[in-house]
Amino acid sequence: METEKNLQKVNFKKGNQWYESNIDLKEVYSSVHSSAKSYGSSANQLVNEMFANLLELAFQKKIELTSPFIITDYGCGQSKASNVLAEVVAANVEKIAVFLEKGKSINELLKEMSPEIKKADEKEISFLPAQSVYGQILVQRYDIGISEYSARPEQKADVVFCNDVFEHIPKTEIPAFIAGLEEAGQYIFASISLRDAVNYMKIPKDMLWEKAQKIDAPSGIILTEDTSGDYIFSLHVSVLSQEQWQEILGKKWRLLPAQDYTAVSAMNFQPSAEYQSSKKELISQIGFADFIPFPTKLGSRYEQDKILWKRTALMQPQKHIQKLNALEGYPESTFKDKEKKESLDFLAFIGATVKKENGVWKIEQMPDFLDKLNQLEILSKKNASSDAEVQRTAKRIIELGV
């Protein structure tokens, strides 16, 4: 991520007095990346959607897959998604070209290529350089929070992927960020989260007090005090609605459903009518990406970090409401039935009262459910030998309403 000043204004309270201070986001994200090896890897779940996006450009003849082209992963974090995508396309470019000539749809092509994508995605990669070449494709990685990727790429890209970055930019800096993004490449695809972050950082109290000023009332981001006296900072600083993002981005950008149902997919060009109409069918085919899973994984940082566990647990109901509302626009299918049942089962399990009014799902009553989720986690992990078994056990418990 890049902003002009990398500063975010925050408010916090001590006793009855409110204070205002600034934190340096570059320092925050550098610290998070160095301490959490998996942070910024969420785009790994979006390789199939990114492949479909690249095919859309090929269908519109905006790029030629068999000719040299450049991909820039803008705000890449620790994700390998763009590199996996490039590897698959380069290795199968002739096969893909034949499919395109035969007039196969993006969905048909994705079905054909999904085994190759899965195979490439399962490879263990210890470190990726700032630039990698896969056949005719150059992949550039850029992220100011990781020293190896912090130099802005000199070559303008044909395609830019910017997954889960916009929401990390302060609202005042978003126009400058968009300008920088458009300078980086011609055709841009972005996944923009519409929710608060699960991940957080503890901001040392000394860092805040150094430039703190008294204020009468808070405005903007409010930090909560931890038992240690430090403050909790959510890593999503611009949580906006789809309508707000559309207004900020302008008419040139189009917003479509995203594989991450708590996000929106944005592109800076006009997608074809076929792609727009088939996007939900495509997502039904590849499945939703769930970035707020529960129960937590065996032996993961969620087990060691109680604050993170609580943040993850508290976000579960809203996650399921967002999924239910996203599903309202999907055609009837076994995929829709399965996903809808999963969310309604979960909400019933925790005792939430929900209703649908004018096509919109809402929570009417929400009990204190953390103890129940804690017990669910304990029961799910009992005698489980793998993360997959934990997930299956949890689903069975939820379905039975135990």
Side-chain angles (χ1 to χ4, degrees):
M1 291 142 296
E2 180 177 37
T3 65
E4 189 175 316
K5 298 176 181 177
N6 299 311
L7 294 180
Q8 173 65 56
K9 184 180 78 172
V10 294
N11 304 142
F12 62 99
K13 197 174 187 180
K14 195 66 179 174
N16 294 320
Q17 179 62 55
W18 282 102
Y19 294 87
E20 177 183 290
S21 188
N22 286 308
I23 58 176
D24 188 320
L25 292 179
K26 184 173 181 178
E27 289 183 7
V28 167
Y29 290 113
S30 294
S31 175
V32 173
H33 279 299
S34 63
S35 61
K37 292 184 178 180
S38 64
Y39 182 72
S41 63
S42 59
N44 291 344
Q45 297 185 49
L46 304 178
V47 180
N48 286 281
E49 185 174 38
M50 291 163 66
F51 182 73
N53 290 339
L54 199 64
L55 289 177
E56 167 65 2
L57 290 176
F59 268 106
Q60 290 199 39
K61 301 190 183 304
K62 294 184 182 296
I63 62 170
E64 176 56 61
L65 295 181
T66 56
S67 299
F69 66 94
I70 300 172
I71 293 174
T72 290
D73 196 323
Y74 202 96
C76 58
Q78 299 179 57
S79 165
K80 62 181 181 180
S82 289
N83 296 74
V84 169
L85 175 66
E87 180 182 338
V88 171
V89 172
N92 298 276
V93 67
E94 299 300 334
K95 182 179 178 181
I96 295 169
V98 170
F99 289 156
L100 290 171
E101 288 172 8
K102 289 181 177 179
K104 288 203 174 187
S105 69
I106 289 175
N107 292 11
E108 288 174 315
L109 268 167
L110 190 54
K111 280 182 182 178
E112 295 273 1
M113 296 306 303
S114 60
E116 297 293 332
I117 294 171
K118 187 171 186 271
K119 182 180 175 182
D121 194 33
E122 288 175 346
K123 287 182 182 177
E124 289 292 332
I125 300 175
S126 57
F127 177 75
L128 290 163
Q131 290 192 340
S132 303
V133 176
Y134 302 88
Q136 76 284 15
I137 308 171
L138 169 65
V139 176
Q140 303 178 139
R141 300 172 63 78
Y142 174 59
D143 194 310
I144 65 166
I146 301 177
S147 58
E148 293 87 349
Y149 309 142
S150 59
R152 191 176 179 86
E154 294 180 3
Q155 297 189 70
K156 185 168 183 175
D158 301 281
V159 185
V160 177
F161 289 108
C162 183
N163 293 310
D164 295 330
V165 182
F166 275 80
E167 61 272 15
H168 294 277
I169 309 301
K171 292 178 186 177
T172 56
E173 298 298 324
I174 290 172
F177 175 79
I178 294 171
L181 191 59
E182 291 176 331
E183 287 176 6
Q186 186 170 9
Y187 300 112
I188 304 167
F189 295 99
S191 177
I192 307 173
S193 182
L194 306 177
R195 57 166 173 79
D196 192 12
V198 173
N199 290 292
Y200 73 97
M201 183 176 178
K202 279 190 182 182
I203 305 296
K205 52 183 176 292
D206 293 342
M207 182 189 295
L208 289 173
W209 284 115
E210 187 179 342
K211 296 182 180 179
Q213 294 182 342
K214 290 183 179 180
I215 54 174
D216 294 329
S219 62
I221 292 176
I222 295 176
L223 307 185
T224 55
E225 190 174 7
D226 182 46
T227 53
S228 65
D230 294 332
Y231 288 82
I232 303 300
F233 173 64
S234 170
L235 297 183
H236 288 184
V237 299
S238 292
V239 180
L240 307 173
S241 68
Q242 180 171 330
E243 292 72 25
Q244 288 173 310
W245 281 115
Q246 183 68 77
E247 185 178 350
I248 290 170
L249 289 164
K251 294 180 180 178
K252 182 175 73 173
W253 286 73
R254 293 302 304 270
L255 303 185
L256 296 178
Q259 188 182 2
D260 171 8
Y261 52 84
T262 64
V264 65
S265 180
M267 55 202 70
N268 70 334
F269 66 95
Q270 179 67 34
S272 65
E274 179 190 356
Y275 189 62
Q276 293 183 73
S277 64
S278 68
K279 188 68 193 289
K280 290 171 184 173
E281 180 188 338
L282 171 68
I283 294 171
S284 299
Q285 176 183 313
I286 60 182
F288 282 135
D290 185 359
F291 292 150
I292 322 173
F294 191 91
T296 57
K297 290 186 176 181
L298 286 171
S300 73
R301 60 198 176 102
Y302 291 85
E303 287 192 298
Q304 310 304 321
D305 188 334
K306 298 307 178 186
I307 295 175
L308 190 63
W309 184 92
K310 186 175 181 180
R311 288 177 68 85
T312 307
L314 286 172
M315 291 182 73
Q316 296 301 310
Q318 195 56 46
K319 175 191 83 171
H320 285 287
I321 286 293
Q322 283 185 276
K323 184 166 72 166
L324 288 170
N325 284 320
L327 285 168
E328 282 297 303
Y330 278 65
E332 297 302 322
S333 64
T334 54
F335 168 79
K336 181 176 181 177
D337 292 342
K338 178 180 74 69
E339 293 292 340
K340 183 177 178 181
K341 181 180 184 305
E342 182 183 90
S343 289
L344 289 175
D345 281 350
F346 177 85
L347 291 165
F349 175 79
I350 64 171
T353 305
V354 300
K355 71 172 183 178
K356 186 170 73 170
E357 193 173 273
N358 298 321
V360 179
W361 289 91
K362 296 178 180 178
I363 295 176
E364 284 192 304
Q365 196 167 19
M366 178 63 69
D368 184 353
F369 58 88
L370 284 181
D371 284 344
K372 193 157 192 177
L373 289 194
N374 190 43
Q375 289 303 311
L376 170 62
E377 185 178 27
I378 293 169
L379 287 171
S380 301
K381 288 176 179 174
K382 190 177 182 180
N383 301 321
S385 59
S386 68
D387 292 333
E389 182 60 30
V390 171
Q391 297 291 337
R392 285 193 294 270
T393 304
K395 285 183 179 180
R396 286 197 295 270
I397 293 170
I398 290 169
E399 285 175 348
L400 294 171
V402 176

